[in-house]
Amino acid sequence: MQSHFVERDATEAVVAAQWSRVLGRPPASLDADFFGSGGSSLLAAKLVSALRGALGTRIPLQTLFEASTFGGLSARIRNDTPGSGGRLLTLNPQGTGAPLLLVPAASGGVIGLHRFGGDPVDRPVLGLQARGLDPAEGEPCRTRAEIVDDFIGVLEKADAPRSLHLAGYCVGGILAYELAAGLRLRGWDVRSVILLNTSLYCPPLSVSDAAREKLVSVAGEAGITITEGEEPDAAAVFRAVSSMGTDPIETDFAEFEAGLRVFGSVGSAVSGYVPEPGDFAVRLFSTDDRDDPSDVERTTHPVTDWPDLGLADYQQHHVPVDHFEMIVHEPTLKAVENAMRHIDDGRKDRI
């Protein structure tokens, strides 16, 4: 069972990353109060400074004193701060290691990955957002090649660091691996690809089938039961989700539908995936439940797992918690940082 608080959008991911870096622990809930969680006036100035650096915009110190809860501060930034969105987010602007780029999973964003922007990851951390999460961007990309080309365009436009580590959680690892190959072809220095519980059991799915699976899942969380063969009503599910809690994020049905379309496009793009061996370092962090039994059952193509690809530089690390807990599990975060640090140090030794 998932026991940790999960932020709900990109703004909360950035705030949670810097909150945990300053206080040494992530916010426990939307109602977590900065000062009640150990914050002081000095640490408040440190948090606001860190958020200014991460978001690239001015945030008055008074904002934190006026909105001291995690949810309140995030809402103020979301509503009042230009530049808090975008396709390439900064979860942490500072650190001594080579930058880490987080590649989105099926949700299309960095939700759930904020701990990689906090301690103990000591390096700049960036996060990509998929095209289409903002309805104004139009339809999302439909194929792996389109997604990779789009991500490369975002990185080049933003003048992102050209020597970096890539990481992806769940199916995001597939996109990270493919993006690494695309960047290498364009002369980028990919130091490593970090696969966070990425399975290669990807059953064939159409965009509509993948989106429906997501909608059924969201409906279940909202207390709506969808019987087999029944077509879920997205508007009804949206109304149920919007009524949950006191501070819903998704107040726009168009944004809700956009999220479903992105999930469907990513789910379809990775289905049937079979990787080609790459010439970059690959580190797989794997839990015992990495392969979902239902995905294994529905996957029709032959699957060759990562250890059997003949990768030139491959290591696998066992993670002693489950799929959901691993991205907030401090020993795992430290192990990921140590793996990247070892690769960075190896570069220095060769100079």
Side-chain angles (χ1 to χ4, degrees), residues 48 52 57-65 73 76 81:
V48 169
R52 288 170 180 165
T57 190
R58 181 179 180 275
I59 301 172
L61 178 60
Q62 187 64 21
T63 299
L64 181 53
F65 289 92
L73 177 61
R76 283 287 298 270
T81 305

Side-chain angles (χ1 to χ4, degrees), residues 67-130:
S68 61
T69 66
F70 171 70
L73 177 61
S74 298
R76 283 287 298 270
I77 292 174
R78 184 184 303 112
N79 296 329
D80 301 339
T81 305
S84 61
R87 299 285 307 285
L88 184 63
L89 305 174
T90 301
L91 292 181
N92 183 49
Q94 300 175 335
T96 61
L100 170 64
L101 175 68
L102 300 173
V103 180
S107 69
V110 295
I111 290 176
L113 299 177
H114 70 270
R115 289 297 301 276
F116 287 87
D119 290 331
V121 179
D122 181 23
R123 62 192 61 243
V125 180
L126 305 171
L128 278 168
Q129 300 269 93

